[in-house]
Amino acid sequence: MTDTGKILDGVTVLDLSTFVTGGFCSAMLANQGAEVVKVEQPGYGDAVRHSGPPFIKGESPYYWSLNYGKKSLELDLKNPEAKEALYELVEETDVFIQNFRPGTAERLDVDRETLAEHNDDLVYLAISAFGQTGPWRERSGYDLLIQGMSGIMSVTGEEGRQPVKVGLPMTDLITAMWAAFGAMTALYRREQTGEGEYIDLGMLEATLPWLTKQAGMVFAGEETKRMGTKDPVLAPYQTFETKDGFINVCILNEKLWGELCEALDRPDLPEDDRFEVNADRVDHLDELEAEIEETLAEHTTDEWIEIIAEDAGVPAGPVYEVEEALHNPQIDARGTLTEIDHPELGEIPVIEHPLRYDGAESGFDLPPPTLGEHNRDVFRELGYSEAEIDELADAGAFGSESDAE
């Protein structure tokens, strides 16, 4: 560990991925101190750079959220000189990330077997929609498709209405977190054995373990369905309407149920046979909702938060807009939203990653890079002279003028 004290100091990541799955994975690694070199298509870059509006002076803030802490290198992988330069980078790389459709890496000569000739202890991470094997292996896939095929959309939304996707790129981010976890565990194994690793990660399989309670219902032979904010196995565990808005109430056991009823001044509810224990309440969700909302209509959300959450200590909270989620006393006190200096835009916001170590540091050292910002820096660090970098540029390794147009 170097003077900065970050856990992944000294680890180099070469990221050839686009969009979210590889991008958020390598951002997580960068946050822990890894040097991440983002290899991009000359003149165009990662497609997420163009995801918008909104744009701020031509840059997508969505792109920022996936690419803090990285260096950007344009390389034309169809250019022989660029390919050889990439192989030299691979020799000094610990983790290699790509999210090509299966077969593409082989066509570009950046598959596991080819790169192993240049670095046999490389951790190679291949992310795809459905994995490297199986009848769907060659299909392309994105978050919306995987949300549908994983069962998530079948249980999201209101009963009797059309399926709804989660408002975030949920399966992209799930896959990204598995990818980062896989990279870390493979690096740990390499420390023990000296051996590299190949990780085959499919988005569909990455999502299925997150089904948890819904999968449990299927295992028990029960039918799953869309329930709005209601929960299939806990009650009350949902969103309720108040006098001026909405409140989430989370009751996981009988102790909390009693405390909620006391806070609501509804001692009659636990005495009702329909609501006595959790299983009864799950069987009578609609009646329970009506009873609780009748009481909640008497006060505002803020008033109920004080009564239920602060005074009674029962888990309850407001339904924030995104701006409120980013700016509130708790987040401010924790220093979660910070700023970093961007070379063209000045100070830009950063949502810090949540791991807080007692014995190590974390955090982003670099802003999201502009396209090709580190073309020369990456090769200087590799030991290239300025003349050799000029030769690479003249050979079109970083793309041509037409690529930039």
Side-chain angles (χ1 to χ4, degrees):
M1 194 175 291
T2 62
D3 291 341
T4 60
K6 291 186 178 179
I7 291 173
L8 293 184
D9 279 345
V11 171
T12 299
V13 177
L14 203 56
D15 183 2
L16 273 67
S17 69
T18 61
F19 273 110
V20 181
T21 54
F24 197 81
C25 166
S26 60
M28 291 176 67
L29 300 178
N31 188 266
Q32 300 305 315
E35 179 182 22
V36 177
V37 177
K38 180 180 179 66
V39 178
E40 303 191 67
Q41 177 184 340
Y44 186 79
D46 187 342
V48 79
R49 288 182 180 274
H50 309 281
S51 294
F55 295 101
I56 298 177
K57 295 185 178 179
E59 288 210 2
S60 168
Y62 180 25
Y63 160 78
W64 298 349
S65 68
L66 304 172
N67 290 287
Y68 297 108
K70 304 178 188 179
K71 297 178 179 179
S72 171
L73 169 63
E74 294 172 289
L75 277 184
D76 180 358
L77 296 183
K78 297 179 181 179
N79 179 290
E81 284 79 5
K83 190 75 63 65
E84 290 303 317
L86 179 73
Y87 293 153
E88 290 191 48
L89 286 170
V90 167
E91 291 175 6
E92 305 299 324
T93 293
D94 298 288
V95 179
F96 182 90
I97 303 173
Q98 55 94 341
N99 64 347
F100 300 126
R101 194 184 306 188
T104 301
E106 287 77 6
R107 290 193 295 273
L108 292 173
D109 297 319
V110 293
D111 54 285
R112 178 199 189 184
E113 289 72 20
T114 300
L115 298 192
E117 296 174 5
H118 302 274
N119 185 343
D120 61 5
D121 66 356
L122 185 68
V123 172
Y124 188 109
L125 179 55
I127 305 170
S128 59
F130 301 103
Q132 302 296 312
T133 59
W136 298 343
R137 66 181 291 272
E138 294 186 4
R139 289 190 189 182
S140 61
Y142 295 95
D143 173 70
L144 176 61
L145 301 185
I146 303 303
Q147 285 205 33
M149 297 175 75
S150 66
I152 287 178
M153 289 177 64
S154 75
V155 296
T156 304
E158 299 289 342
E159 185 176 5
R161 303 186 68 178
Q162 72 175 29
V164 175
K165 77 176 182 72
V166 179
L168 309 174
M170 191 73 179
T171 67
D172 282 333
L173 295 168
I174 288 171
T175 305
M177 297 190 78
W178 280 118
F181 177 71
M184 294 286 282
T185 53
L187 287 171
Y188 178 73
R189 178 179 178 274
R190 192 179 72 172
E191 285 294 307
Q192 297 175 308
T193 66
E195 298 175 355
E197 186 56 87
Y198 178 82
I199 303 171
D200 170 8
L201 176 60
M203 292 176 65
L204 181 58
E205 294 165 87
T207 305
L208 295 185
W210 289 50
L211 293 177
T212 57
K213 66 181 68 174
Q214 283 82 6
M217 294 176 68
V218 171
F219 298 155
E222 297 186 13
E223 182 182 357
T224 61
K225 60 183 180 179
R226 291 184 288 284
M227 301 178 66
T229 67
K230 296 184 181 71
D231 190 88
V233 299
L234 295 170
Y237 193 98
Q238 66 182 86
T239 305
F240 294 99
E241 192 166 359
T242 67
K243 185 176 183 178
D244 69 341
F246 299 93
I247 187 173
N248 286 325
V249 177
C250 309
I251 302 302
L252 283 79
N253 55 49
E254 301 314 318
K255 178 177 180 293
L256 287 173
W257 170 236
E259 291 172 349
L260 173 66
C261 293
E262 184 177 349
L264 296 177
D265 194 20
R266 291 292 306 271
D268 58 303
L269 291 179
E271 297 173 359
D272 190 316
D273 290 343
R274 298 172 299 170
F275 311 135
E276 186 175 357
V277 297
N278 182 71
D280 300 325
R281 297 192 294 273
V282 169
D283 286 339
H284 298 90
L285 280 172
D286 291 341
E287 299 99 310
L288 179 66
E289 180 179 46
E291 291 285 351
I292 292 177
E293 285 197 335
E294 180 182 350
T295 298
L296 292 177
E298 298 172 3
H299 297 293
T300 67
T301 297
D302 286 346
E303 290 169 339
W304 280 122
I305 293 298
E306 184 174 353
I307 294 168
I308 298 173
E310 296 183 9
D311 295 343
V314 174
V319 179
Y320 279 154
E321 298 292 335
V322 174
E323 184 173 0
E324 295 173 295
L326 293 173
H327 301 282
N328 60 68
Q330 179 64 24
I331 293 303
D332 292 345
R334 296 280 286 178
T336 304
L337 199 66
T338 62
E339 292 184 332
I340 197 166
D341 188 52
H342 188 282
E344 296 182 1
L345 302 176
E347 296 290 324
I348 63 171
V350 180
I351 302 174
E352 279 296 338
H353 287 196
L355 296 174
R356 296 169 184 267
Y357 302 103
D358 184 51
E361 297 179 11
S362 62
F364 295 112
D365 295 325
L366 297 172
T370 58
L371 179 59
E373 180 181 346
H374 303 96
N375 284 353
R376 303 186 75 88
D377 291 346
V378 168
F379 287 102
R380 286 190 191 106
E381 292 178 10
L382 201 60
Y384 277 54
S385 68
E386 294 301 318
E388 289 171 323
I389 297 173
D390 288 340
E391 288 178 9
L392 271 181
D394 291 342
F398 305 139
S400 62
E401 290 184 7
S402 61
D403 290 325
E405 292 176 356

